[in-house]
Amino acid sequence: MNTPPKNVLLKTLLKSNQYKIKHNYYNNVARARYLGVPRSLHTTNRAYHSAKKDGIAVLPSPQEVTTILRKNEFNKEFTSGSVKSYDSNQLASNDPIEDTRCEAQCKMTPGLLMGVFDGHGGPSCAQVISKRMLSYIAAALLPPDKLKKLIDEEDPDSLAETYNDRVEIVEDLLDIYKNSFRTYLEELAANSTEAPDVKTRLEQAIMRLDQDISKEVLEPYAAKGVVNPKTLSVALSGAVVCVTHIDGPHLHVANVGDCNAVIGTMTEDNHWIAKKITKEHNAENIDELKRIWSEHPESEKKTVVRRDRLLGELAPLRSLGDYRYKWSADTLKEVAVPMMGPRAIPANYFSPPYLSAQPDVYYHRLTPKDKFMILASDGLWDMLTPLQSVKLVGEHMKGKVFFNPLKLPRKDIALGDINDLLSHRRESLKSKPKDRNAATHLLRHAIGGTEYGVDHARLAHLLSLAPDVSRMFRDDITVTVLYFDSEFLRHCPS
């Protein structure tokens, strides 16, 4: 059957209330243009565009859709600890994608680190902090003797073993970042205590990285009167962050902005519960609004947050980078305006800083009932509720066992029992998911899901839109699903 032309499809999609138009699309595009922020620090993959035949749009086939969805998927299994494995995936809407993610095992202390980073105003800040943040956190958790050893050896790579690291930073920036990190290590060693508190250290590491992003622009400028356009692009773009540290049953989640962490818990009667660990820092959070209003004069109450955005421009009310909302007006005039023009200073900019990178840190003690955690950028949560996501992963857990070959429970099993086993398996195969990777499973349902299941036409239409149009319907999506080891948690000391 012929597919209608793309302009007809778009009109249909725009009229349908099944699709969400991202409220910050126009703001982000305009901001990136007038800031002149470089679009990328490295090459990323372009989105799939539908081909045309005789002027008619030819949408991707089911096989091509699956190829698109699985392009960035990754899986890692562990042989010890409270995390058995994790699945991750990303799906771009922007070109290039502005989300990043990272995962690493601490090498000098126990603990697994995982983070999701959602950039805006370009991908620069998100890419940079994804390369640097886990090292900052791993260093903050070290006792004094190990910090001194690390400084003596000058080997920051010994801090963490990263997985699936796809981001590359240009060489001249790497030298700047190494110098900043060494200074950070020396200050940690001078002020470190024997028993680091994880919550405090997470806060300190995140805040210090954000401060270094500013220093890497301002200190060279103060010394030589020259601004490095690469460090400036990182400082003026921004990113929200959700990063977790897991050590046995102890789970800490640090959140800055509007990414979220949700735990899937199984009740005694085998029902799924979604435990939302984090709270978004946006205009829907009344406590966050009260905090911002309290930090500025009463005369600014109508301008500090307008149209549900900071100064009428930025949707997240906390983030890393975004120094356009943190530096003084004089600093912006000296550093940013010569390169970016007068609009580098927001309207109604009277009492900066307006923005903070201060994370909220949450603690949760894992129990055997906690089966998995979903860590994702807001692109997923715009399309699925926490409970919908948890139920989808729970169903996926049940169905993915059928990806493995059938194993007989014992050698002397009777033929009749084998027949019953095969009959049960054949019936259960109906629930087998299309994707082995749970993050991909979530992506498929987030984009193409309906109350009757996944609609291939809807999925194909949305995946074939050009980036400038796609961004009107959905955001970049990054998902990591961590699976917990119930037996390990069952035998942990209380």
Side-chain angles (χ1 to χ4, degrees):
M1 183 175 67
N2 288 335
T3 311
K6 184 178 285 188
N7 63 338
V8 175
L9 288 173
L10 290 180
K11 288 179 182 177
T12 303
L13 291 173
L14 285 168
K15 290 179 180 178
S16 170
N17 59 13
Q18 295 181 35
Y19 295 92
K20 291 188 176 182
I21 298 178
K22 290 293 294 175
H23 59 270
N24 58 354
Y25 167 72
Y26 295 105
N27 177 60
N28 283 352
V29 171
R31 181 166 179 259
R33 285 174 180 165
Y34 74 70
L35 286 180
V37 176
R39 294 297 295 165
S40 182
L41 295 183
H42 73 114
T43 302
T44 57
N45 297 314
R46 288 185 172 272
Y48 182 94
H49 293 196
S50 60
K52 284 190 176 182
K53 184 177 181 180
D54 299 327
I56 302 298
V58 179
L59 296 175
S61 67
Q63 292 76 17
E64 289 169 328
V65 163
T66 294
T67 299
I68 296 166
L69 291 174
R70 294 180 181 175
K71 187 174 183 62
N72 296 309
E73 68 180 13
F74 180 77
N75 167 265
K76 174 70 180 176
E77 296 184 356
F78 300 96
T79 57
S80 61
S82 56
V83 178
K84 290 195 297 186
S85 64
Y86 75 87
D87 293 344
S88 70
N89 203 346
Q90 292 184 278
L91 184 66
S93 182
N94 293 292
D95 184 16
I97 188 170
E98 294 182 345
D99 281 7
T100 54
R101 35 126 299 276
C102 60
E103 304 87 37
Q105 181 76 55
C106 295
K107 295 167 87 174
M108 301 180 72
T109 57
L112 188 65
L113 290 166
M114 296 193 177
V116 168
F117 310 89
D118 185 351
H120 46 263
S124 302
C125 185
Q127 290 176 351
V128 165
I129 63 175
S130 74
K131 291 290 288 188
R132 303 176 69 184
M133 181 171 287
L134 299 195
S135 293
Y136 271 66
I137 294 172
L141 296 170
L142 293 176
D145 58 330
K146 291 186 177 180
L147 272 169
K148 186 176 184 305
K149 181 181 177 182
L150 184 66
I151 293 169
D152 292 342
E153 292 179 352
E154 296 187 356
D155 182 20
D157 291 337
S158 65
L159 270 171
E161 178 187 358
T162 59
Y163 310 114
N164 193 33
D165 186 354
R166 300 182 180 184
V167 175
E168 294 181 5
I169 304 297
V170 293
E171 192 66 32
D172 52 342
L173 285 179
L174 281 177
D175 293 337
I176 295 171
Y177 298 157
K178 285 179 181 178
N179 290 335
S180 294
F181 190 66
R182 181 174 179 82
T183 301
Y184 170 59
L185 290 177
E186 291 170 349
E187 293 181 10
L188 277 176
N191 301 299
S192 183
T193 59
E194 287 292 340
D197 171 73
V198 175
K199 178 180 183 296
T200 301
R201 296 309 172 92
L202 281 170
E203 292 173 349
Q204 291 174 345
I206 292 171
M207 292 293 287
R208 177 53 184 262
L209 176 55
D210 188 58
Q211 292 162 12
D212 281 353
I213 288 171
S214 174
K215 288 180 181 178
E216 287 153 5
V217 176
L218 298 184
E219 288 186 352
Y221 176 75
K224 301 178 181 179
V226 177
V227 175
N228 183 330
K230 293 178 183 176
T231 56
L232 182 61
S233 75
V234 174
L236 292 181
S237 60
V240 296
V241 175
C242 190
V243 61
T244 182
H245 177 266
I246 306 168
D247 179 11
H250 306 294
L251 170 71
H252 288 84
V253 180
N255 191 55
V256 183
D258 53 11
C259 296
N260 278 306
V262 174
I263 290 178
T265 300
M266 177 70 79
T267 65
E268 295 288 350
D269 53 355
N270 294 326
H271 288 110
W272 287 107
I273 294 176
K275 292 181 180 177
K276 190 164 176 278
I277 303 297
T278 48
K279 292 181 180 179
E280 299 93 333
H281 299 128
N282 58 26
E284 295 179 9
N285 184 337
I286 188 63
D287 291 332
E288 192 68 4
L289 288 175
K290 289 178 180 177
R291 178 190 66 81
I292 292 177
W293 288 330
S294 71
E295 293 173 355
H296 300 277
E298 181 69 21
S299 59
E300 292 188 59
K301 189 167 185 179
K302 292 184 178 180
T303 59
V304 67
V305 177
R306 291 187 302 121
R307 301 190 302 272
D308 291 336
R309 294 169 176 78
L310 188 71
L311 296 175
E313 295 185 356
L314 191 66
L317 301 182
R318 297 190 205 184
S319 72
L320 277 78
D322 281 316
Y323 270 90
R324 188 168 164 265
Y325 307 98
K326 297 176 182 177
W327 284 331
S328 69
D330 289 340
T331 299
L332 286 172
K333 287 177 185 176
E334 293 178 20
V335 175
V337 169
M339 296 184 67
M340 309 302 177
R343 292 192 68 185
I345 303 177
N348 302 304
Y349 200 74
F350 304 122
S351 57
Y354 287 90
L355 193 63
S356 171
Q358 177 72 42
D360 282 337
V361 181
Y362 305 88
Y363 172 76
H364 176 78
R365 194 187 192 285
L366 295 168
T367 74
K369 295 179 182 179
D370 298 325
K371 303 302 180 183
F372 56 84
M373 181 170 72
I374 304 169
L375 200 65
S377 60
D378 70 331
L380 179 75
W381 308 117
D382 287 339
M383 313 295 276
L384 296 172
T385 68
L387 184 57
Q388 285 174 327
S389 300
V390 164
K391 286 184 175 180
L392 283 168
V393 175
E395 292 168 1
H396 185 268
M397 285 179 64
K398 180 180 178 181
K400 72 177 182 179
V401 297
F402 298 104
F403 285 110
N404 301 320
L406 175 65
K407 292 184 179 180
L408 297 179
R410 60 182 189 278
K411 291 182 180 180
D412 59 345
I413 186 170
L415 287 175
D417 293 336
I418 293 176
N419 183 63
D420 291 341
L421 189 64
L422 290 173
S423 297
H424 175 71
R425 184 177 176 87
R426 184 165 51 251
E427 183 64 26
S428 299
L429 275 171
K430 294 176 182 178
S431 65
K432 178 183 176 181
K434 193 172 186 66
D435 305 292
R436 183 185 291 266
N437 185 295
T440 308
H441 184 70
L442 284 174
L443 291 180
R444 187 182 295 274
H445 283 264
I447 305 300
T450 70
E451 58 183 313
Y452 305 108
V454 175
D455 182 339
H456 169 71
R458 172 179 174 172
L459 187 56
H461 288 325
L462 288 176
L463 290 179
S464 65
L465 297 176
D468 56 339
V469 179
S470 173
R471 190 61 181 82
M472 298 175 66
F473 296 95
R474 65 174 182 86
D475 201 351
D476 299 325
I477 305 177
T478 297
V479 185
T480 301
V481 181
L482 302 80
Y483 291 100
F484 301 122
D485 188 330
S486 299
E487 284 303 308
F488 178 93
L489 294 172
R490 188 169 286 112
H491 294 95
C492 280
S494 58

